[in-house]
């Protein structure tokens, strides 16, 4: 039996109530392990230390862990963990909710200066996004850019399309969704009703309905029994009536004969209440579902570690390529299934819309009858009774009505779909109608729904292409690693040598056949910008309007203002912090200041005039003013500087442009000392004879030729994208 590696929607519904008991706990620190396991350390007045774990990799879980189950803190925190510490240290945990019936949890944290929402996506490839009070993404583990939704810094967070909640659906809605399927009962419950395989089988067992029963053969009584079984599960979750179980595999006779009866059995599942589907499996009970989930995943992790121990003659440093390949292949299969489902759903919606027009007179009579009755204030139950009586008298319009839902204001009709390929009558199709509108509006609604579903299909196709590129990259890395090991076979190398080889391999972007794209979406992209070799952001204006904007909107009191002695230079700001971050005074290093000065000089008229060097000065923000002396006039984008200046003389006009591959993929440019080490490869330029667009094309061709994956360069560092980093005027490539 396969081991559970992801929490289901029903599991999350059971967990939410228990997690909310920690409301009021204060955030102490955030940690990130292996790019997919987030740990939030909290302090609770009554319970003491609280460890909230959120994992979104191959294993997907969210729960509070026993302190003994928590690994030691990792080394230097990555940027995502640093961001969370800055925003959330000292914040109060305000609660958690499950988004609709999806595998998404939203954790709320409140602090006097700012609130933060953490969205944990425990489905697909998994993700964690931090949102500000407006719902804008501050940071995320992964950037998502699909036609259907976007999750990227600076963008409003978008949830996936809504899913049907099978625990809340009415009997009429349940019957309609089931009848629309052309599959069997258990597959329809698993996919169309979003239950997943295990709980779909459990509902069938509890309802006493054979799993493989074709939908067209199910009776109304069977559908009612299935719905009642769902309702009982929903009522149990809402009331908190749980009896958690961790299930273990059963050792068979062969295991015992082999002497394995003494080994600990593997864990295979964790559920909020006992399941009939697991009857016969040994299980361990727990007082809370959270404790059961914690124990299950702790044992699962230990079992994975034990199973992954290599024999003594194996290479211990070998990356788990097979596991990553299997993961990507599994994701692709899931995405293929989603695409097929979207195609079927869109076609079904279009078919229903066309049936409305094919049966226009009949549908119009149904709607007109209901609308006239409602105008006369006839209750919905009386309308249903009248239609039932009309059906008994053989009135075609009344016979077509199969459900009247006054709460939703809808009428469901069954329309004949015509004949199938063999000339026999096809099954009727149920169409739910908004009783307050006409045939055309109802048909248009169905057509629009088909378009919406097709949009989801296109998004899924983009996702599958991205996953295929990831798979190709893993396979290429595996081949390269094995080739390197074969070449190094017999060499006497210690651990230090292995580490050096791994480091060299990890940064060998140029030879990789496929490089996954991780596009950033930073607020400063529309300006000129670069990050200094010490990590500080420098931004400059491209025109007078941006110069004005930078000073008025983005200049902080601890920043530094740079400008060239020559007229026609950009306003350049060395930022002490981001626009929404608090900042303390910064003692910038000489190298950082020199790089900011070189940036100001290189994008000024010094370059355009062909000079090899220029002078720049630096002042504090409070020395910059738009107020001229009496009788003087200041042009747009210009400013008055008062007080002493710090000068940088004979600063070289030099820029480097290149392609960054880690941690994001994009074109970058700026002073060579800040760019060369950050880029996978780069080219340095100086003032020269080639026009800006010609120089950009030269650089693009050279950079593209250095990469094995030339399509990657076209996507992230095209000639147009590289031109954004070239100074105005002529340029030459430096040998």
């Amino acid at each position: 039996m396969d081991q559970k590696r992801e929490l289901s929607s029903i599991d999350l519904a059971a967990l939410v109530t228990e997690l909310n008991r920690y409301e009021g706990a204060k955030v102490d620190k955030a940690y990130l392990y292996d790019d997919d396991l987030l740990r939030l350390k909290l302090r609770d007045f009554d319970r003491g230390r609280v460890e909230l774990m959120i994992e979104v990799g191959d294993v997907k879980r969210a729960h509070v862990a026993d302190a003994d189950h928590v690994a030691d803190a990792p080394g230097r925190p990555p940027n995502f963990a640093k961001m969370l510490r800055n925003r959330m240290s000292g914040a109060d945990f305000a609660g958690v909710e499950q988004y609709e019936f999806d595998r998404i949890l939203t954790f709320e944290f409140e602090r006097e200066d700012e609130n933060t929402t953490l969205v944990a996506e425990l489905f697909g490839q998994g993700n964690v996004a931090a949102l500000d009070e407006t719902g804008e993404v501050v940071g995320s583990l992964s950037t998502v850019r699909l036609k259907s939704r976007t999750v990227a810094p600076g963008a409003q967070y978008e949830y996936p399309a809504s899913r049907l909640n099978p625990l809340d659906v009415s009997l009429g809605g349940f019957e309609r969704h089931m009848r629309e399927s052309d599959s069997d009962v258990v597959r329809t419950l698993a996919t169309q009703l979003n239950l997943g395989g295990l709980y779909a089988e459990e509902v069938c067992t509890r309802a006493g309905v054979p799993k493989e029963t074709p939908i067209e053969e199910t009776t109304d009584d069977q559908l009612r029994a299935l719905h009642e079984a769902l309702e009982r599960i929903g009522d149990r979750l809402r009331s908190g009536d749980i009896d958690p179980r961790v299930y273990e595999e059963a050792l068979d006779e062969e295991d015992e004969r082999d002497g394995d009866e003494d080994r600990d059995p593997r864990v295979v599942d964790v559920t909020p209440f006992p399941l009939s589907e697991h009857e016969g499996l040994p299980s361990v009970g727990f007082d809370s579902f959270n404790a059961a989930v914690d124990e299950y995943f702790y044992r699962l992790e230990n079992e994975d570690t034990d199973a992954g121990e290599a024999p003594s003659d194996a290479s211990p440093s070998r990356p788990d390529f097979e596991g990553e390949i299997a993961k990507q292949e599994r994701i692709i299969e899931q995405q293929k299934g989603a695409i097929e489902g979207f195609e079927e759903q869109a076609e079904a919606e279009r078919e229903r819309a066309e049936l409305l027009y094919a049966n226009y007179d009949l549908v119009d009579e149904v709607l007109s009858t209901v609308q006239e009755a409602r105008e006369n204030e006839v209750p919905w139950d009386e309308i249903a009774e009248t239609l039932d009586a009309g059906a008994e008298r053989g009135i075609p319009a009344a016979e077509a009505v199969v459900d009247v839902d006054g709460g939703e204001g809808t009428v469901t009709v069954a329309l004949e779909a015509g004949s199938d390929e063999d000339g026999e009558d096809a099954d009727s199709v149920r169409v739910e109608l908004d009783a307050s509108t006409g045939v055309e509006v109802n048909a248009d609604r169905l057509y629009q729904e088909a378009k919406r579903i097709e949009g989801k299909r296109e998004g899924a196709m983009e996702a599958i292409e991205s996953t295929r590129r990831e798979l190709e990259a893993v396979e290429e890395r595996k081949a390269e690693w094995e080739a390197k090991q074969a070449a190094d076979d017999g060499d006497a190398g210690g651990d230090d040598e292995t580490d050096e080889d791994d480091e060299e391999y990890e940064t060998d972007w140029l030879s990789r056949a496929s490089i996954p794209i991780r596009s950033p979406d930073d607020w400063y992209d529309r300006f000129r910008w670069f990050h200094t070799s010490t990590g500080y952001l420098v931004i400059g204006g491209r025109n007078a309007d941006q110069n004005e904007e930078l000073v008025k909107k983005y200049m902080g009191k601890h920043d530094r203002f740079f400008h060239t002695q020559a007229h026609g230079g950009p306003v350049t700001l060395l930022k002490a912090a981001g626009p929404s971050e608090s900042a303390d005074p910064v003692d910038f290093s000489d190298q950082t200041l020199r790089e900011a000065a070189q940036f100001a000089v290189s994008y000024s008229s010094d370059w355009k005039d062909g000079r090899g060097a220029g002078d720049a000065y630096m002042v504090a923000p409070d020395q910059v003013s738009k107020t001229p002396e009496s009788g003087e006039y200041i042009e747009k984008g210009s400013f008055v500087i008062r007080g002493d200046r710090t000068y940088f003389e004979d600063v070289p006009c030099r820029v480097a442009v290149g392609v960054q591959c880690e941690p994001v993929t994009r074109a970058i440019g700026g002073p060579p000392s800040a760019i060369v080490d950050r880029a996978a490869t780069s080219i340095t330029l100086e003032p020269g004879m080639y026009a800006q667009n010609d120089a950009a094309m030269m650089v693009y061709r050279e950079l593209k030729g250095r990469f094995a994956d030339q399509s990657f360069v076209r996507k992230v560092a095209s000639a147009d994208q590289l031109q954004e980093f070239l100074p105005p005027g002529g340029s030459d490539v430096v040998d």
Side-chain angles (χ1 to χ4, degrees):
M1 180 177 180
D2 291 338
Q3 293 176 293
K4 180 182 208 164
R5 307 188 77 84
E6 300 180 0
L7 292 175
S8 69
S9 294
I10 287 180
D11 297 334
L12 295 179
L15 272 172
V16 162
T17 299
E18 296 185 3
L19 291 176
N20 277 316
R21 296 170 186 166
Y22 296 93
E23 182 178 344
K26 285 191 176 293
V27 178
D28 184 11
K29 194 168 288 187
Y31 304 91
L32 187 63
Y33 301 77
D34 298 330
D35 296 330
D36 57 21
L37 174 57
L38 176 65
R39 167 192 167 198
L40 295 181
K41 183 179 178 182
L42 302 94
R43 290 173 285 108
D44 184 81
F45 181 78
D46 296 321
R47 300 176 180 86
R49 175 180 168 187
V50 177
E51 298 283 2
L52 176 61
M53 314 296 287
I54 303 172
E55 189 168 8
V56 294
D58 187 33
V59 169
K60 295 180 176 64
R61 57 181 173 127
H63 59 89
V64 170
D66 187 297
D68 292 337
H69 294 173
V70 176
D72 292 338
R76 184 175 181 180
N79 290 334
F80 186 74
K82 289 181 182 177
M83 178 272 295
L84 292 183
R85 292 182 183 184
N86 290 334
R87 290 189 62 90
M88 294 171 53
S89 292
D92 293 328
F93 173 48
V96 57
E97 293 182 352
Q98 180 182 14
Y99 175 70
E100 298 186 350
F101 192 67
D102 217 328
R103 286 176 290 167
I104 298 177
L105 295 181
T106 57
F107 297 84
E108 300 291 343
F109 298 89
E110 297 178 351
R111 200 170 68 179
E112 288 186 2
D113 58 335
E114 59 187 357
N115 298 336
T116 302
T117 299
L118 275 189
V119 183
E121 299 181 353
L122 303 172
F123 65 91
Q125 299 190 41
N127 201 2
V128 177
L131 318 181
D132 65 14
E133 293 159 314
T134 68
E136 183 176 297
V137 178
V138 180
S140 59
L141 290 181
S142 301
T143 298
V144 178
R145 295 184 186 279
L146 304 172
K147 288 188 177 180
S148 57
R149 63 191 294 256
T150 298
V151 180
Q156 284 290 309
Y157 179 81
E158 300 177 28
Y159 286 97
S162 300
R163 304 175 69 205
L164 173 71
N165 186 342
L167 304 182
D168 290 339
V169 67
S170 65
L171 176 59
F174 175 77
E175 291 177 341
R176 178 173 65 83
H177 279 88
M178 295 294 288
R179 292 294 186 194
E180 289 173 352
S181 174
D182 58 0
S183 186
D184 57 25
V185 170
V186 71
R187 287 184 174 85
T188 302
L189 288 172
T191 58
Q192 302 301 314
L193 275 294
N194 303 316
L195 278 174
L198 175 62
Y199 284 101
E201 293 180 354
E202 180 70 15
V203 168
C204 290
T205 300
R206 294 188 177 200
V209 177
K211 304 170 186 176
E212 296 81 11
T213 305
I215 288 295
E216 62 267 19
E217 296 179 12
T218 57
T219 66
D220 290 342
D221 288 341
Q222 287 177 318
L223 291 181
R224 188 175 297 107
L226 291 168
H227 184 257
E228 289 174 354
L230 272 174
E231 282 189 320
R232 288 193 294 272
I233 291 176
D235 290 342
R236 189 164 186 178
L237 289 173
R238 284 186 286 269
S239 66
D241 178 21
I242 61 173
D243 184 10
R245 290 284 189 275
V246 169
Y247 286 96
E248 302 170 338
E249 68 176 351
L251 295 177
D252 56 26
E253 294 181 1
E254 183 176 350
D255 292 324
E256 296 176 359
R257 288 195 301 270
D258 292 341
D260 290 339
E261 67 275 8
D262 293 332
R263 70 175 174 84
D264 292 333
R266 295 190 315 153
V267 291
V268 293
D269 203 355
V270 56
T271 62
F273 39 73
L275 298 187
S276 301
E277 288 301 299
H278 288 339
E279 187 175 357
L281 287 179
S283 65
V284 181
F286 288 82
D287 293 334
S288 71
F289 187 44
N290 182 87
V293 171
D294 177 38
E295 178 67 17
Y296 175 83
F297 283 106
Y298 177 67
R299 289 179 59 181
L300 178 68
E301 181 180 11
N302 288 339
E303 291 165 7
D304 287 346
T305 301
D306 293 341
E309 290 179 354
S312 58
D313 58 346
S315 172
S317 62
R318 186 184 195 279
D320 183 16
F321 294 117
E322 289 73 17
E324 183 64 19
I325 289 173
K327 173 185 174 182
Q328 299 298 337
E329 289 176 340
R330 186 165 60 251
I331 292 172
I332 289 174
E333 288 304 312
Q334 294 171 350
Q335 292 168 333
K336 285 181 178 178
I339 290 171
E340 293 174 359
F342 292 147
E343 292 173 346
E344 293 175 359
Q345 293 174 35
E347 182 59 32
E349 295 299 329
R350 279 193 296 269
E351 179 185 359
R352 280 193 279 271
E354 291 163 3
L355 280 175
L356 291 186
Y357 284 115
N359 297 272
Y360 189 98
D361 292 339
L362 183 145
V363 176
D364 184 59
E365 183 178 350
V366 172
L367 293 172
S368 298
T369 299
V370 175
Q371 290 166 8
E372 183 178 352
R374 291 301 297 157
E375 289 173 1
N376 293 325
E377 300 183 353
V378 177
W380 282 98
D381 55 354
E382 290 187 19
I383 294 175
E385 292 173 1
T386 300
L387 290 171
D388 288 341
E392 292 177 0
R393 296 198 302 272
I395 300 175
E399 289 180 324
V401 177
V402 294
D403 183 58
V404 176
D405 189 339
E408 299 292 333
T410 61
V411 177
T412 301
V413 295
L415 303 176
E416 297 300 327
S419 301
D420 60 20
E421 295 178 356
D422 297 327
E424 298 181 0
D425 291 338
D427 295 334
S428 61
V429 176
R430 297 190 175 202
V431 184
E432 186 178 77
L433 305 170
D434 180 352
S436 65
T437 62
V439 179
E440 293 87 351
V441 174
N442 275 284
D444 183 66
R445 174 178 56 82
L446 294 170
Y447 280 126
Q448 293 302 318
E449 177 64 11
K451 289 181 180 179
R452 186 187 71 82
I453 294 171
E454 286 175 338
K456 293 170 62 177
R457 174 185 176 276
E458 292 176 2
M461 292 182 69
E462 291 180 6
I464 202 172
E465 287 303 315
S466 176
T467 308
R468 282 173 174 154
R469 289 194 295 269
E470 293 276 2
L471 176 60
E472 292 172 358
V474 175
E475 292 173 336
E476 180 67 21
R477 292 200 300 273
K478 176 186 176 183
E480 292 174 354
W481 192 92
E482 291 176 344
K484 176 182 284 289
Q485 291 302 111
D488 294 342
D489 188 24
D491 291 345
D495 291 341
D496 292 341
E497 182 177 342
T498 302
D499 291 341
E500 291 173 3
D501 287 345
D502 286 346
E503 181 178 355
E504 180 183 355
Y505 163 75
E506 284 300 321
T507 56
D508 188 15
W509 295 101
L510 302 185
S511 63
R512 293 190 179 179
S514 178
I515 301 175
I517 295 175
R518 299 178 296 278
S519 300
D521 187 13
D522 297 311
W523 63 269
Y524 46 80
D525 277 345
R526 60 194 182 90
F527 300 103
R528 295 196 186 279
W529 66 272
F530 81 100
H531 285 97
T532 68
S533 54
T534 51
Y536 290 97
L537 174 67
V538 176
I539 49 178
R542 294 184 180 276
N543 49 48
D545 288 334
Q546 287 195 352
N547 285 346
E548 294 274 347
E549 183 181 5
L550 286 176
V551 171
K552 293 179 179 178
K553 185 175 180 180
Y554 292 104
M555 187 168 66
K557 64 179 180 180
H558 299 305
D559 296 344
R560 295 292 185 271
F561 176 101
F562 287 78
H563 204 276
T564 56
Q565 284 290 85
H567 183 72
V571 163
T572 299
L573 299 181
L574 170 58
K575 297 292 296 175
S580 61
E581 300 173 352
S582 59
D584 296 322
V586 177
D587 186 13
F588 296 107
S589 67
D590 290 342
Q591 181 176 358
T592 298
L593 299 177
R594 192 79 180 174
E595 287 173 351
Q598 186 173 23
F599 179 85
V601 167
S602 296
Y603 291 98
S604 73
S605 58
D606 285 324
W607 186 291
K608 192 172 183 178
D609 294 339
R611 290 190 283 269
D615 299 336
Y617 63 83
M618 175 187 73
V619 296
D622 59 6
Q623 296 178 251
V624 182
S625 173
K626 282 294 291 184
T627 304
E629 300 295 337
S630 178
E632 294 182 353
Y633 168 77
I634 294 185
E635 298 177 347
K636 186 175 185 179
S638 299
F639 301 87
V640 175
I641 307 299
R642 295 184 171 91
D644 295 335
R645 310 179 185 188
T646 300
Y647 286 91
F648 300 84
E649 298 178 344
D650 295 323
V651 178
C653 288
R654 293 285 190 282
V655 297
V657 291
V659 182
Q660 184 177 1
C661 296
E662 188 69 27
V664 295
T665 51
R666 61 183 173 190
I668 57 174
S673 60
I675 299 301
V676 171
D677 290 340
R678 186 170 279 115
T681 184
S682 63
I683 294 175
T684 300
L685 300 101
E686 62 184 8
M689 60 180 292
Y690 294 100
Q692 190 184 51
N693 59 336
D694 293 332
M697 182 57 69
M698 290 169 55
V699 172
Y700 165 68
R701 289 171 178 166
E702 175 61 25
L703 291 176
K704 186 177 70 169
R706 297 179 183 180
F707 282 83
D709 184 7
Q710 296 190 1
S711 64
F712 162 76
V713 183
R714 287 197 299 271
K715 294 171 183 175
V716 304
S718 66
D720 289 340
Q721 291 166 313
L722 292 169
Q723 187 172 336
E724 295 290 318
F725 294 94
L726 294 181
S731 300
D732 280 337
V733 173
V734 178
D735 293 335

